[in-house]
Amino acid sequence: MPNWLFILVNVGVAAFVGGITNHFAIKMLFHPRKEVTFLGRRLPFTPGLIPKRKEEIAESLGYVVSDYLVTSEGLQEFIRKPAFRGKVEGAINRKLQEWSGSEDSIQELALKVWSAEEWERLKLRAEEAARRLTARGAAAIWQEYRLHEKPLKALIPGWSQETLEGWGEKAADIVLKELGSTLMSAEGQRMLTKMASTLMDKAGGFLGTMAAIFVDEEKMVQKLTPMLIQQLESEQVRGAVADMIARKLAEYGEMPLGELIEQAAGEPGLALISRRLDESLPWSEWLERLGQLRVAAIIGPQMPAIEAVLPGLLDKVLRLLERSIPVAMKAVNLPQLVQEQVQKFPVERLEQVILSVSGREFRAITWLGVLLGGFIGLFQSLLTMLWR
């Protein structure tokens, strides 16, 4: 064989071996995906390096990312940079300017972010949260100030015997005046007539029979009514009613508020207050009205004030965010999170990502194997020829 052909064959074979070796070495990083067995024994180098070491790689990446790439100190330093603060402030200002000139209502603006069903669910959750917050607030005040144990007189300013007497007199005037007006009305006259008729029916005996025959109930009521009104307007009756009301108020004043409410309403005080608040506060209606308000009508008039307080408020928010980062990082458990995400990441997709980024370098490694193999073949050929 001529020397030139001998050298050419050796160089070609060695170059092919070097190239194909590097090519398979790269492929064996990802292939085969699973373990291959032959005659019950696992073949060497199966599965490929990355599929075989995926869990170890995920664990190592988790610690690398948390210890060197995404650290609490790094994030805090990033937040402290003036460039970051400027970007945040600029974004907020642009959004506020956009909203201040917007013709959309809050609901229309929300529907650009959420669907109609999601918006309704959000309003429902907001209403439920408001009701829970109201109930918790009432319970907190009830427990913190121990209102259920305090007597009524301790909760009403100016409670004294003189005050009770004054309240009794005013209440008596109102009650007696209302009672007199009721007796003078047509309904009151019918009630008195019915009472007179019932009284004579119950009298029984000879006297009852004679009264039923000779007494006219309507005329009797007409004669009795002025007498009743005169009695109601007398100082004696007025004083007796006022004294009775004052005594009852004094009795109620000594009772704990919880016991008083439960005795009057038939349910615990806190339950009554929570129920009444829940029934009286129209959260659904308020949220509906809020949704119909125009964003510009809310933000526009307040823009000068918002722009004035925005820098200071943003500084406080960023400082709070900076202080919260270490706690948030511990709560997130970044190493575990990265490890779980890497383990879930398909090897096929990982191969595509790596090849899309480093495909040229891998091809260069393959051709480098061809080149080195060619040099080795040339060197071997020359050495063999000299040896001969």
Side-chain angles (χ1 to χ4, degrees), residues 16-28:
F16 176 76
V17 171
I20 201 69
T21 300
N22 283 9
H23 175 74
F24 277 111
I26 294 171
K27 286 294 183 181
M28 288 176 68

Side-chain angles (χ1 to χ4, degrees), residues 275-294:
R275 181 172 60 81
R276 290 295 178 86
L277 284 174
D278 190 60
E279 293 172 352
S280 60
L281 296 178
W283 289 110
S284 179
E285 181 182 346
W286 289 345
L287 288 172
E288 192 64 33
R289 290 181 182 178
L290 180 63
Q292 299 304 321
L293 291 177
R294 289 176 55 248

Side-chain angles (χ1 to χ4, degrees), residues 112-173:
K112 294 180 180 179
V113 181
W114 299 290
S115 66
E117 294 78 10
E118 291 172 336
W119 172 243
E120 290 300 325
R121 286 198 297 268
L122 183 63
K123 288 197 297 183
L124 184 60
R125 287 198 295 269
E127 180 181 349
E128 292 173 352
R131 293 187 185 279
R132 287 196 300 270
L133 183 62
T134 304
R136 284 199 297 267
I141 295 175
W142 183 265
Q143 297 295 338
E144 181 178 354
Y145 293 98
R146 307 187 70 83
L147 297 179
H148 58 289
E149 298 178 355
K150 291 187 176 181
L152 181 64
K153 65 180 183 180
L155 301 172
I156 299 179
W159 186 283
S160 64
Q161 185 60 35
E162 295 178 358
T163 305
L164 294 182
E165 292 174 357
W167 290 346
E169 292 174 358
K170 291 180 180 179
D173 290 339

Side-chain angles (χ1 to χ4, degrees), residues 295-342:
V295 179
I298 299 174
I299 296 180
Q302 305 298 327
M303 275 301 294
I306 293 175
E307 291 175 347
V309 302
L310 181 60
L313 182 61
L314 182 59
D315 287 338
K316 292 180 181 179
V317 171
L318 291 179
R319 284 197 296 269
L320 178 62
L321 179 61
E322 182 181 340
R323 290 195 299 268
S324 303
I325 283 178
V327 179
M329 293 287 286
K330 290 181 180 179
V332 168
N333 194 2
L334 189 59
Q336 182 68 24
L337 179 63
V338 174
Q339 181 177 347
E340 291 176 357
Q341 295 303 313
V342 173

Side-chain angles (χ1 to χ4, degrees), residues 55 233 267 273 329-330 359:
E55 293 187 2
E233 293 176 350
E267 62 179 310
I273 293 172
M329 293 287 286
K330 290 181 180 179

